[in-house]
Amino acid sequence: MPVITFDQAKEFLEDINSEDKVAIICHNDGDGFSSGILYHDWCKSKNAQVKAFIYTIRESKLKEFDLEKFNKIIVTDLSPGFMATEFELIKEKQILYTDHHPRVTPIPEEILELVTADKGYLPSSRTAGELTGLKPWLSLIGTITDSAEYYPENQEFITKHLKQLGITFDEFKQNISSVVTNFLVYFDNDYDKAFEILKGINSIEEISQLKGYSDQVEDEVQKFVEEYKTKKEKLGHINFYYFEPHFKVKAPVCAIISQRNNNEIYIFAAPINDNKHITLSARSNSKEKDMTELLRAGTQGLEDSSSGGHAPAAGGTIQAKDLEKFKQNIRNFVKQ
């Protein structure tokens, strides 16, 4: 694959013009939305025609996106483990791929790839902000929603932007990044609408316009954070919590509970819409244990299951009927 430098990625962006039709393909979380909007705004500033496509892992397929008319594509915050095969469908296009997940699966050599994994954990929204120079507050939102504050390589970036905004980290997280996270949860069935609303926000002060959506989700988040205390199970020394939310609040529930004790290991589980599958999230903020290894062990031998992610945070899916088998796999792994 032609791995390119920051300057070469910048050159790709600078070359975009009014003759181009550009598709932005981004992940459906805070980091993906933030980086996607930054690239979208950049293309608009270059008078290009541009359209965003929101990609949901394990649900979306590029073949379902109408990409025929686009000559350039920017893909952001999507792991190569999921995208390697997908890229085969569009490799004849001019593609800029920026992402921060570990590189294991090779992607087609035609793709222009800006690698940041070798520099540490740099969220895609941080890279997009540094490449475009647009909306630094949005770059910061995406960075913090991706829990980048736990990695020292992001401290200078975060501190600098907080100082420019005149706000503390706790204030930013409570009043800005958490509001955006909840807002995206509210629109989990209509990410296109969420993208349109969020890209229309032009200052950090305007984030308050999203609170009407956020507050409804926050009420449910706090309900399950409180319920965790009495409903959690112990799988060996692993904290396991299964819950059934109305909104897709597993991510913020995971974040709040896991950040209260960095020395603990957690697995959170909740049903997917069809109720035939369960989505899993493993967290270990101490970074001493590999959560990808943990979920790989839990899903071993389970039909129609998957897992992947980073050492401190991993995700996966299993069939609902296999929940007890998954829990027993975890117990067996812990004993070993």
Side-chain angles (χ1 to χ4, degrees):
M1 70 186 82
V3 175
I4 62 174
T5 66
F6 181 92
D7 289 340
Q8 288 172 313
K10 181 72 173 176
E11 183 178 349
F12 179 97
L13 294 176
E14 291 286 0
D15 286 343
I16 292 173
N17 58 60
S18 60
E19 299 298 317
D20 288 319
K21 296 179 176 66
V22 187
I24 311 293
I25 301 175
C26 62
H27 191 205
N28 65 322
D29 65 357
D31 187 29
F33 264 72
S34 297
S35 55
I37 289 171
L38 290 169
Y39 290 129
H40 181 281
D41 287 358
W42 174 267
C43 293
K44 294 294 287 186
S45 75
K46 304 291 283 185
N47 297 314
Q49 295 184 45
V50 58
K51 179 178 173 58
F53 297 87
I54 315 303
Y55 193 101
T56 302
I57 299 298
R58 302 182 187 89
E59 295 180 22
S60 299
K61 297 292 182 184
L62 286 188
K63 65 182 180 181
E64 299 170 357
F65 295 166
D66 186 10
L67 300 174
E68 183 64 30
K69 70 177 182 179
F70 299 98
N71 64 305
K72 292 182 179 178
I73 299 177
I74 300 174
V75 181
T76 181
D77 194 37
L78 289 165
S79 169
F82 295 109
M83 298 306 296
T85 303
E86 292 278 64
F87 277 136
E88 291 289 343
L89 301 175
I90 56 173
K91 62 183 181 181
E92 75 283 356
K93 308 278 189 180
Q94 297 179 58
I95 301 175
L96 173 64
Y97 177 40
T98 67
D99 181 57
H100 63 106
H101 296 90
R103 261 61 194 142
V104 178
T105 308
I107 63 173
E109 60 181 13
E110 294 88 348
I111 310 301
L112 300 176
E113 180 186 16
L114 177 61
V115 175
T116 62
D118 59 337
K119 297 179 177 62
Y121 189 89
L122 307 184
S124 296
S125 48
R126 173 179 169 179
T127 299
E130 292 173 339
L131 282 169
T132 65
L134 301 174
K135 294 181 176 176
W137 52 269
L138 183 58
S139 178
L140 183 61
I141 287 174
T143 298
I144 291 179
T145 60
D146 221 36
S147 300
E149 67 271 19
Y150 291 104
Y151 300 84
E153 56 266 32
N154 294 299
Q155 287 306 314
E156 182 179 351
F157 172 85
I158 292 172
T159 300
K160 179 184 74 173
H161 285 294
L162 288 174
K163 186 175 181 179
Q164 290 174 346
L165 293 168
I167 189 172
T168 67
F169 176 81
D170 289 341
E171 290 170 338
F172 188 91
K173 192 155 191 175
Q174 179 178 348
N175 300 320
I176 307 299
S177 60
S178 292
V179 170
V180 171
T181 296
N182 289 342
F183 161 77
L184 294 179
V185 169
Y186 183 92
F187 282 101
D188 74 277
N189 289 318
D190 195 350
Y191 285 124
D192 290 337
K193 184 174 182 179
F195 193 92
E196 286 299 308
I197 294 173
L198 190 55
K199 77 179 177 64
I201 300 293
N202 293 307
S203 70
I204 193 171
E205 290 77 18
E206 292 180 13
I207 293 295
S208 61
Q209 298 175 15
L210 308 179
K211 279 189 62 63
Y213 308 108
S214 173
D215 288 347
Q216 296 179 58
V217 175
E218 185 62 27
D219 289 343
E220 186 163 291
V221 169
Q222 295 305 322
K223 167 189 170 182
F224 289 112
V225 167
E226 187 64 26
E227 182 186 271
Y228 166 81
K229 299 174 184 177
T230 56
K231 296 292 182 65
K232 68 177 180 180
E233 300 177 54
K234 280 287 189 178
L235 307 179
H237 64 282
I238 309 293
N239 297 291
F240 178 83
Y241 178 41
Y242 174 86
F243 60 110
E244 299 181 350
H246 170 67
F247 292 115
K248 291 182 180 178
V249 296
K250 184 163 64 66
V253 170
C254 291
I256 292 171
I257 294 173
S258 63
Q259 289 169 13
R260 287 180 174 176
N261 190 334
N262 290 337
N263 295 319
E264 295 283 338
I265 298 175
Y266 305 85
I267 298 177
F268 301 89
I272 300 178
N273 289 340
D274 62 5
N275 288 319
K276 295 181 180 179
H277 292 82
I278 289 173
T279 177
L280 307 162
S281 294
R283 296 288 185 272
S284 175
N285 292 326
S286 71
K287 306 178 202 172
E288 294 178 359
K289 301 294 183 182
D290 189 340
M291 296 299 96
T292 57
E293 182 182 5
L294 179 65
L295 287 191
R296 191 180 303 119
T299 57
Q300 185 174 6
L302 301 185
E303 183 181 355
D304 192 22
S305 65
S306 63
S307 64
H310 305 282
T317 59
I318 58 172
Q319 294 186 77
K321 67 181 182 63
D322 289 332
L323 179 58
E324 291 305 318
K325 293 180 181 178
F326 169 82
K327 289 160 66 174
Q328 189 57 49
N329 281 349
I330 294 295
R331 293 188 187 97
N332 294 341
F333 180 73
V334 169
K335 287 179 182 179
Q336 294 172 9

